[in-house]
Amino acid sequence: MSITADTVKHVANLARLKLDERELAPLVQQLSNILGLVEQLKELDTEAVTPMSHALDMPIPERPDLVVPISTREAMLANAPDTEQGYFRVPKIIE
Amino acid sequence: MDPTQLSLVQAHAWLSSRQISARELTAAFLERIDRLNPRINAYITVDREGAMAAAQRADDRFRNGTATPLTGIPIGVKDLFCTENLTTTCGSKMLARFRPPYESTVTRKLKEAGAVILGKTNMDEFAMGSSNETSFFGPVRNPWDTERIPGGSSGGSAAALAARMAMATIGSDTGGSIRQPAALTGLTGLKPTYGRISRFGMIAFASSLDQAGPMTWTAEDAAIMLRVLAGHDPKDSTSIQAEVPDYVNTLVNRLDGLRIGIPEEYFPDSLDRETRHALEEAQQVLRDLGASMVSVSLPHTRYAIPTYYIIAPAEASSNLARYDGIRFGYRCEDPKDLKDLYTRTRSEGFGAEVKRRIMLGTYVLSSGYYDAYYRKAQKVRRLIARDFQDVYTGVDLLLTPTTPGTAFPLGEKKDDPVAMYLSDIFTINVNLAGLPGLSLPCGRDHQGLPIGMQLIAPVLKEERLLAAAHAFQSATPWHQRKPEL
Amino acid sequence: MTYDPNYETVIGLEVHAQMVTRSKIFCGCSTTFGAEPNQQVCPVCAAFPGVLPVLNSELVSMAIKTGLAIQGSIRTRSEFARKNYFYPDLPAGYQISQFELPIIEHGQLHIVTDDGVRKRIGITRIHMEVDAGKSVHEGIQGASWIDLNRTGTPLLEIVSEPDLRSAQEAGEYLKKLRSILRYLQVCDGNMEEGSFRCDANVSVRKLGQTAFGTRTELKNLNSIRNVMRAIEYEAERQIDSLESGGRIVQETRLWDANQNTSRPMRGKEEAHDYRYFPEPDLPPLVIAQERIDTIARQLPELPDAKAERYRNDLGLSEYDAGVLTSSREMAMFFEETVSRGAQPKAAANWISVELLGRLNRGGMEIEQSKVTPEQLGRLLALMQNNEISGKMAKQIFDIMFESGGDPDTIVQEHGFKQVSDTAAIAAIVDQVLADNPLQVQQYREGKTKVMGFLVGQIMKATQGKANPASVNAILQEKLSG
C-alpha cells in the first residue's frame, strides 16, 4: 500500500500539522512502509470476530451527581499562553 | 557501604534501624545525580528542594511510627506523571514549561507512602519511541555503554536506576516501554495488568494500552512498589475493582508444579544467538527450581506489530489533539489566525516521531479507511487476546525473550521507523491482550550488555510473575550486576 | 413568500437538550448558568494532560427516562465514542459522544398537524454527549475569548426521522418534545439560554418523487419561531434555486434572525471528517433491565396519556385537553384547581379562556400567574355554591389577576356576597313587578321576552348581588301565579 503526497497533505490538514516540502517526501515514504507492514492483516479472515476496543471487558463505573469543585480559575488559567479578563484568548474566530 | 547501592528492601532496613536518615539517603542520591546525570541525561527535572522536604517528613514518620516500606525511599518518576506544581514535560517541547495544577494518582500514592520523589526522568517524546532518542531534552545514554541507547520509552527511568541515581523508578508501558528498557539496562521491569494501576494524571499516549509500572533492581522490590501503586481509582473508569494482594507475602523460592509455556513464535530464526542461549540457560534454572517447560503456540503473534501500529497511533492522534496552544503548553509566535495557531503550534511543538504517529493515526481513522484499518486491527486484537486465553488453559506463565537483541548504538535505527518498531516485537502482544508482563535480567552478551527475559501471566496474576522472578533471582546473579561508571 | 404547490419540504430535526444534572457529565464541576467566565472549570473538563472522564450516573437515568417517554428501545449495552475536530471551545480536540451504539433508538412522538390530524414522528436515536464551551467575539479587537464553563455540560442529542413536512409541523414537534422533557424534569427547555437547541436538515422534492433532495443544515435557530422562519426561508430558497435551473449544495447555513436570511457557514466545516472511534477511556455502558424497570415505574404521566384521561374521565374537549396538557405547569395548575373543588369543565374553561387569555395579553407564562390554583379552585367553588354569580366571579378574578389575593377576602372587602335569601329576593321581585305593570301584562299576553327586562331590573335593584337562579325561579312563579 502506498500513500500519495496529496493524501499525506490532506491528513496533515485534518491533524492540524504543517509539513514543509523537505519533511513531506520522507514522510510519504515512511508512512507507505508502515502501511506496507499493516497489509499483512488483510490475510486474516475476521468476518465473525467482534472488534476489541478495550483491553479488558468490564462495565463503565458511574459516579453520583455531586458538585465537587476542585480548581480555582487562577489555577486553570496559570498555564495558558494568553488570557484576558478571565478568558483564554485566541485569534478571532470567524463563523 | 555506599547507600545508593542498596536495594529498596535493604534501604528500608537501614532507615528503620536509624543506620541512615532519609535526608542522608536522599542527599547521597542527589549528589550522585549531580555527578552522573550530565553523562547519562536520565533526568529532565531534579527536584532538590521537594526531595529534601519529603526526606524530612520521612524522618518524622520513622520517629512517630507511621513509616511504610516506601517511606524515605528515593524514587525517580517518568516525566509523564503529572506532579502538582512540578514541571511535567512528557519529553516534549510542547509541555516544556507545563506545571500541572493536579497530582497523578501514581505520584500521590508514592507521596502518601512517604517516598521521596527525586525528580522527573527523561523519556521518548509522549512515550513514542523505543530508544529514548525522540526526547526534546536529548537522548538518554545506557549506563552499560554510553554510546548505546537505554531503550524506550521509559529510558530515563531505566538509566537512572541502572546508574543508581534512584532506588526505584516508575515507568509506563504502552508496547513494551517498561520491559524493553529494563531488559536493555539489566533491571526488573513490571507492566501490570491493564487497569491495575490508575492512569489518572498519567499523560496519555494510547489509552487502551497504557499502563504504569515499577522498575526496580529485584522482583522483591517490585512487589513492594506494586503493593502501593495498585488498586482501583474512582478517577479512572478503566481501573480494575479488585483486591490488591500482598505481593511480598506470595514470593517463593521454589517453583514446584509451575507450568511455563515456551511459545515457539517468540524464538524465530532471526533471534539473536546470545539471547537464545541465555533463555535456554534460564529455562534450565527454572527447571531446577521445580518448574516444567511446555512448548506452546500463539499463532497470531506476527500480527502484533501491524495491529499495534494502527491502534496506538489512532488513539494517540486523538489524545494529542488537546495540544493546541490555548490552555497550556507551547504556542507559536504571533499566530495570524486560528488555523495558523493550531498548525504552527503543533508543527513546532511536536517532534518528528510524534508527528509521524499522529499522521498515521489520523489516516487510519479517516473517512474511507476506518474499516480497512482500525476496525480490522481491533478484530485482530481480539484474536491475539484469544491466543493467550487458549494457551493459559494449559500453562501458568509464558517465558519469552524481552527483546530481539541487546542495546543497539545510538542513531542506528533513528531514521528507520519500521526497524525501530520491530524492536518491540515480543512485548507488544502483552499490551494488546491487557496482560501483566515482567522483564528480568537473565544473562549478558559478549560485550557485557544485559539480556532480558519476559514472563507473561494471565490477567491479574502479577503475584505469579513476581514469585517466579523472585525464585529465579534467588538462584541467579544477573540482577546484581552493575555497570561501571 | 412564494409557495409552490408542486414541491414538498422534508425536514429532520436534531435537538440538543441540556440535562439538568447538578454536576457536569464527566467531572464534579457545577452546571449552573451564568457564572463568571472559567469559574466552573477543572482539569478534566478543560482536557488537561492525563486526566480522565468519569460518567455522571444521573445523566444515564435521565437518558433512560427520556427513552421510555418516547417509547424508544434502550440499549442495555451502549458505547461512548470520540468525535474528532479542532475548535477552541472544544478543549480535548474531540467531543465525547455516542456513535455506533447510542443509548436510545427507534422512538416516536405524536403531533397534531394543521388539519387536526394526529401524526407520528419517528425519533431515530438519542445519544449522550458533552456540550462545548462558549466563545465571545463582540467588541474584542482582533481576538476571541474562550469560556469553558459550559464545556462538559451533559446533552442529549435527539435526532428525528425526516418525517416533518412543513415549518408548522417542525414547530409542533419541538413544542411536543420540549413539553415531554419538561414533564420528565430533565431539561428546562430554555431556548434563549441555549439549554434546548435545534438544528434543522431541510430538503425539497417534487411531489410524488420518492428520493430525498440534497439537504442543507440550518444552525443558529434560537427560538421555535426562528426554526419555523428559517425552514420556510430555506425551502423557498431551494425551490427558487431548482426552478431557475440551479443545484442545491450540501452545506451548513447560519440563520440570521435580524436579516431574516441565512448564509453558508465557514470555519468549522472546512475539513469535515470526524474520525469517530470508541472512547478508550470509557468502558461500554451496561444497563441492567432492573434499572430500566425501576425508572419506568417512576415515570410521570406524560402529555398524551394525560390528555386522554382528561377527555375520557373528566369529559374535557379535545381542544381543552390539548391546551391543558401542553406543559407540565399548566396540567399541574389545572389538576390543583380541580382538587380544590372546582368542576373539571369549569376549571378547564376558566384556565384556557380567562387565565390564559389574560396571560397571553401580558406575554406571560403560567408560572408567572399571581392567581394560584388554590385560589382559582376556591373562586369556582364559591360560584358553584351560588355564593357569587358568574359575573361577580369575573370581577373578582380580575382583581386576583392584577393584584393577587384570596377570593374570600376580596368578596368580603368588596361586598360581592350574593343574595340568596328567598324572602329578600321575593320582596324585591314584588316591588319590581309593582313598578312595571305594563311589562307584566305583556308577559302574560305571551311576550315572554320581557322576562329578561324584568330580571335586569331586579339585578339592578340588588346591585347584581341577587342569585340569578333564585331570581328566575321566583319571578317565574310570581308571573304565572
Side-chain angles (χ1 to χ4, degrees):
Chain A
M1 173 86 196
S2 65
I3 183 169
T4 65
D6 279 348
T7 306
V8 172
K9 282 181 186 164
H10 167 70
V11 172
N13 182 42
L14 277 179
R16 295 295 183 270
L17 291 172
K18 189 182 273 177
L19 302 169
D20 58 43
E21 290 303 315
R22 235 180 6 185
E23 290 172 295
L24 187 64
L27 192 60
V28 170
Q29 187 56 50
Q30 286 163 348
L31 289 177
S32 295
N33 291 350
I34 298 164
L35 291 169
L37 202 65
V38 162
E39 285 301 287
Q40 291 176 49
L41 297 186
K42 290 207 172 138
E43 64 198 48
L44 284 173
D45 177 7
T46 53
E47 193 59 39
V49 184
T50 317
M52 178 171 166
S53 35
H54 297 274
L56 300 176
D57 193 17
M58 57 176 169
I60 197 170
E62 297 176 31
R63 70 176 170 84
D65 181 23
L66 298 173
V67 175
V68 188
I70 56 166
S71 302
T72 62
R73 175 159 77 177
E74 291 61 41
M76 293 311 299
L77 294 176
N79 277 285
D82 196 0
T83 63
E84 199 166 12
Q85 296 187 30
Y87 292 91
F88 299 101
R89 192 172 188 272
V90 297
K92 196 108 191 152
I93 299 169
I94 303 147
E95 284 191 324
Chain B
M1 188 186 173
D2 176 356
T4 61
Q5 304 300 308
L6 299 171
S7 78
L8 201 156
V9 175
Q10 291 165 330
H12 178 66
W14 280 38
L15 288 162
S16 294
S17 64
R18 311 294 155 81
Q19 220 170 317
I20 193 170
S21 72
R23 272 171 301 165
E24 287 162 345
L25 186 62
T26 297
F29 274 99
L30 289 172
E31 188 269 330
R32 195 170 167 87
I33 290 169
D34 286 341
R35 191 152 53 84
L36 295 179
N37 197 50
R39 277 163 69 193
I40 307 293
N41 198 26
Y43 280 93
I44 293 172
T45 303
V46 179
D47 184 19
R48 286 182 180 71
E49 279 176 29
M52 287 312 292
Q56 171 72 58
R57 286 193 297 275
D59 283 331
D60 293 343
R61 288 178 75 161
F62 276 104
R63 266 193 297 277
N64 65 28
T66 59
T68 78
L70 282 192
T71 303
I73 302 297
I75 287 174
V77 176
K78 188 175 184 177
D79 206 15
L80 53 56
F81 293 91
C82 289
T83 39
E84 193 165 355
N85 295 324
L86 180 64
T87 306
T88 301
T89 69
C90 217
S92 183
K93 179 181 180 182
M94 191 60 94
L95 292 176
R97 279 190 289 276
F98 176 56
R99 287 162 70 90
Y102 48 97
E103 189 79 38
S104 73
T105 298
V106 161
T107 49
R108 178 177 58 75
K109 285 187 164 191
L110 289 174
K111 287 177 175 178
E112 284 170 3
V116 173
I117 293 176
L118 294 167
K120 310 294 288 291
T121 58
N122 204 342
M123 56 182 286
D124 278 301
E125 184 181 8
F126 282 98
M128 296 177 189
S130 309
S131 67
N132 223 306
E133 292 167 290
T134 72
S135 171
F136 175 66
F137 300 91
V140 179
R141 289 165 184 271
N142 191 325
W144 293 86
D145 176 349
T146 54
E147 294 309 309
R148 290 175 185 269
I149 58 102
S153 66
S154 309
S157 287
L161 184 57
R164 296 280 178 178
M165 292 190 279
M167 195 157 267
T169 55
I170 305 287
S172 70
D173 190 316
T174 305
S177 283
I178 288 174
R179 292 159 290 154
Q180 185 252 21
L184 301 186
T185 56
L187 302 169
T188 304
L190 171 62
K191 182 207 94 78
T193 306
Y194 178 83
R196 179 85 269 201
I197 297 177
S198 169
R199 293 187 295 117
F200 181 82
M202 181 173 97
I203 298 179
F205 161 14
S207 310
S208 78
L209 301 162
D210 295 344
Q211 176 61 206
M215 301 173 83
T216 51
W217 282 98
T218 66
E220 189 180 15
D221 286 0
I224 291 168
M225 293 283 283
L226 185 60
R227 179 102 174 89
V228 171
L229 299 173
H232 176 67
D233 180 4
K235 291 177 178 175
D236 175 0
S237 300
T238 60
S239 85
I240 300 174
Q241 311 208 23
E243 285 297 303
V244 179
D246 185 341
Y247 299 107
V248 182
N249 272 350
T250 52
L251 297 178
V252 290
N253 291 319
R254 290 285 305 173
L255 300 175
D256 296 299
L258 189 77
R259 299 163 304 168
I260 298 178
I262 310 293
E264 53 183 88
E265 293 82 3
Y266 284 72
F267 295 85
D269 293 342
S270 57
L271 181 64
D272 170 61
R273 192 178 46 78
E274 291 176 305
T275 301
R276 180 188 299 276
H277 180 69
L279 264 286
E280 279 162 6
E281 301 226 306
Q283 287 178 50
Q284 191 51 51
V285 171
L286 291 164
R287 274 192 209 95
D288 293 345
L289 288 166
S292 57
M293 302 298 136
V294 185
S295 190
V296 297
S297 171
L298 297 164
H300 294 96
T301 298
R302 70 194 200 86
Y303 301 107
I305 296 265
T307 301
Y308 178 88
Y309 279 97
I310 293 171
I311 291 173
E315 292 181 8
S317 70
S318 176
N319 284 334
L320 271 61
R322 67 191 56 198
Y323 304 102
D324 56 11
I326 297 176
R327 286 148 292 125
F328 47 77
Y330 176 80
R331 172 183 254 187
C332 68
E333 294 280 327
D334 301 324
K336 68 175 163 56
D337 57 29
L338 202 56
K339 184 92 186 277
D340 190 44
L341 168 71
Y342 283 126
T343 50
R344 272 204 297 127
T345 294
R346 293 167 58 77
S347 302
E348 295 165 14
F350 290 135
E353 180 62 24
V354 171
K355 284 191 260 192
R356 189 148 51 227
R357 297 207 196 184
I358 291 175
M359 289 290 293
L360 188 56
T362 305
Y363 177 71
V364 298
L365 288 177
S366 66
S367 171
Y369 298 102
Y370 183 88
D371 285 340
Y373 290 114
Y374 190 73
R375 198 189 302 274
K376 182 80 182 183
Q378 284 196 319
K379 289 178 164 198
V380 180
R381 182 177 185 181
R382 188 168 298 281
L383 296 177
I384 290 167
R386 271 186 205 157
D387 278 0
F388 284 99
Q389 281 162 16
D390 293 347
V391 92
Y392 282 128
T393 57
V395 300
D396 304 306
L397 285 179
L398 294 169
L399 174 68
T400 76
T402 311
T403 56
T406 51
F408 48 86
L410 280 160
E412 187 182 272
K413 299 178 181 176
K414 201 165 178 266
D415 298 318
D416 185 352
V418 170
M420 186 70 89
Y421 296 173
L422 289 172
S423 63
D424 294 333
I425 194 156
F426 300 140
T427 48
I428 272 177
N429 274 314
V430 178
N431 299 81
L432 289 170
L435 303 173
L438 179 146
S439 178
L440 71 164
C442 68
R444 57 186 229 181
D445 71 2
H446 64 285
Q447 299 173 96
L449 296 170
I451 295 171
M453 69 180 194
Q454 174 176 237
L455 295 167
I456 307 166
V459 164
L460 288 178
K461 298 296 182 199
E462 284 83 2
E463 68 260 43
R464 217 179 267 175
L465 291 179
L466 291 163
H470 178 70
F472 184 83
Q473 290 179 340
S474 313
T476 56
W478 304 114
H479 62 291
Q480 288 164 349
R481 290 179 66 234
K482 286 160 195 167
E484 307 270 333
L485 279 160
Chain C
M1 183 79 38
T2 59
Y3 173 70
D4 190 328
N6 296 319
Y7 281 91
E8 168 177 66
T9 310
V10 176
I11 305 149
L13 297 180
E14 286 172 21
V15 167
H16 287 90
Q18 270 183 2
M19 295 292 104
V20 292
T21 55
R22 285 187 286 268
S23 63
K24 290 185 179 179
I25 176 168
F26 294 125
C27 64
C29 287
S30 168
T31 53
T32 327
F33 182 80
E36 289 289 297
N38 294 307
Q39 202 70 264
Q40 291 168 176
V41 178
C42 77
V44 175
C45 55
F48 271 51
V51 297
L52 297 167
V54 186
L55 180 61
N56 186 335
S57 179
E58 189 58 28
L59 170 64
V60 179
S61 298
M62 288 180 172
I64 296 171
K65 253 184 222 176
T66 308
L68 290 169
I70 57 136
Q71 299 155 284
S73 58
I74 292 153
R75 266 186 189 280
T76 48
R77 191 183 170 92
S78 70
E79 182 181 83
F80 286 95
R82 291 186 185 176
K83 178 182 184 177
N84 294 281
Y85 65 92
F86 288 93
Y87 211 66
D89 63 12
L90 185 73
Y94 56 83
Q95 179 190 33
I96 302 181
S97 179
Q98 296 191 293
F99 186 55
E100 285 185 356
L101 304 175
I103 185 164
I104 313 287
E105 288 171 302
H106 316 305
Q108 58 177 10
L109 56 73
H110 291 88
I111 59 167
V112 178
T113 63
D114 263 357
D115 9 341
V117 181
R118 194 170 135 89
K119 180 173 174 181
R120 176 193 179 278
I121 307 298
I123 292 175
T124 318
R125 57 184 278 153
I126 298 180
H127 67 251
M128 299 174 278
E129 63 184 27
V130 302
D131 207 346
K134 281 180 178 167
S135 33
V136 184
H137 319 287
E138 266 109 77
I140 307 162
Q141 198 58 43
S144 294
W145 289 348
I146 308 297
D147 172 14
L148 298 180
N149 281 346
R150 198 179 69 177
T151 311
T153 301
L155 295 178
L156 289 191
E157 179 172 330
I158 303 162
V159 183
S160 86
E161 294 285 322
D163 287 347
L164 301 159
R165 291 290 175 273
S166 69
Q168 203 63 37
E169 288 185 16
E172 288 305 309
Y173 169 84
L174 288 175
K175 283 181 205 157
K176 190 58 169 285
L177 180 60
R178 187 169 63 171
S179 137
I180 290 171
L181 296 176
R182 283 174 167 169
Y183 265 82
L184 297 172
Q185 294 181 281
V186 298
C187 174
D188 68 22
N190 188 327
M191 281 188 97
E192 285 75 39
E193 282 181 9
S195 51
F196 185 84
R197 308 197 287 272
C198 174
D199 298 336
N201 288 304
V202 180
S203 64
V204 298
R205 62 180 171 190
K206 278 258 170 67
L207 276 181
Q209 183 185 320
T210 47
F212 290 128
T214 305
R215 64 187 164 85
T216 57
E217 187 181 6
L218 307 177
K219 285 185 182 290
N220 199 30
L221 312 171
N222 56 9
S223 68
I224 290 178
R225 199 174 120 78
N226 274 330
V227 172
M228 294 168 65
R229 281 165 64 201
I231 289 170
E232 276 166 9
Y233 171 86
E234 181 61 15
E236 193 198 348
R237 190 189 68 83
Q238 291 188 14
I239 292 167
D240 285 351
S241 169
L242 291 174
E243 284 296 299
S244 56
R247 277 179 57 242
I248 307 302
V249 182
Q250 186 164 347
E251 63 187 356
T252 302
R253 299 179 68 87
L254 277 183
W255 175 249
D256 184 335
N258 296 328
Q259 306 285 322
N260 218 352
T261 179
S262 71
R263 61 178 163 82
M265 193 173 166
R266 290 195 288 159
K268 202 187 286 193
E269 296 305 303
E270 187 190 11
H272 189 85
D273 184 346
Y274 292 130
R275 289 160 284 134
Y276 281 100
F277 73 104
E279 164 58 283
D281 287 332
L282 294 168
L285 172 60
V286 179
I287 299 171
Q289 188 59 44
E290 249 187 333
R291 182 177 186 182
I292 300 173
D293 295 343
T294 306
I295 291 175
R297 279 195 298 275
Q298 295 162 350
L299 219 56
E301 190 184 29
L302 292 165
D304 284 0
K306 227 183 234 305
E308 197 181 319
R309 180 166 63 83
Y310 287 0
R311 288 197 304 273
N312 296 344
D313 299 359
L314 305 180
L316 300 194
S317 70
E318 172 116 22
Y319 175 80
D320 279 349
V323 169
L324 293 174
T325 55
S326 64
S327 80
R328 180 174 164 272
E329 288 70 24
M330 191 91 79
M332 278 170 54
F333 197 105
F334 168 68
E335 289 179 17
E336 189 64 32
T337 305
V338 171
S339 81
R340 297 288 159 151
Q343 284 167 355
K345 278 187 177 175
N349 196 41
W350 274 72
I351 292 170
S352 64
V353 178
E354 303 300 333
L355 179 59
L356 289 185
R358 286 173 176 78
L359 287 171
N360 285 345
R361 279 196 292 280
M364 285 151 70
E365 298 289 329
I366 194 155
E367 299 93 293
Q368 294 162 286
S369 165
K370 281 188 186 147
V371 181
T372 67
E374 293 79 6
Q375 292 165 350
L376 179 59
R378 175 66 189 150
L379 180 71
L380 299 186
L382 286 173
M383 195 172 76
Q384 281 154 212
N385 298 339
N386 288 329
E387 289 177 47
I388 55 172
S389 67
K391 197 175 164 199
M392 283 179 194
K394 282 185 190 169
Q395 289 171 321
I396 296 167
F397 188 79
D398 272 331
I399 299 169
M400 288 163 67
F401 187 84
E402 290 307 326
S403 331
D406 166 59
D408 288 302
T409 317
I410 297 170
V411 163
Q412 272 201 335
E413 282 177 2
H414 294 76
F416 275 123
K417 205 74 176 170
Q418 177 161 276
V419 178
S420 296
D421 178 346
T422 327
I425 293 173
I428 293 163
V429 171
D430 286 339
Q431 185 60 50
V432 168
L433 294 183
D435 291 350
N436 298 283
L438 180 61
Q439 281 76 8
V440 172
Q441 194 182 337
Q442 284 175 337
Y443 181 86
R444 288 184 175 144
E445 285 164 2
K447 280 185 138 185
T448 51
K449 270 200 237 159
V450 297
M451 179 88 170
F453 169 79
L454 292 169
V455 170
Q457 292 303 304
I458 295 161
M459 294 312 277
K460 195 172 168 187
T462 61
Q463 292 164 304
K465 290 178 199 166
N467 180 335
S470 304
V471 168
N472 270 310
I474 294 168
L475 185 59
Q476 202 107 54
E477 194 192 307
K478 300 243 179 215
L479 286 171
S480 53

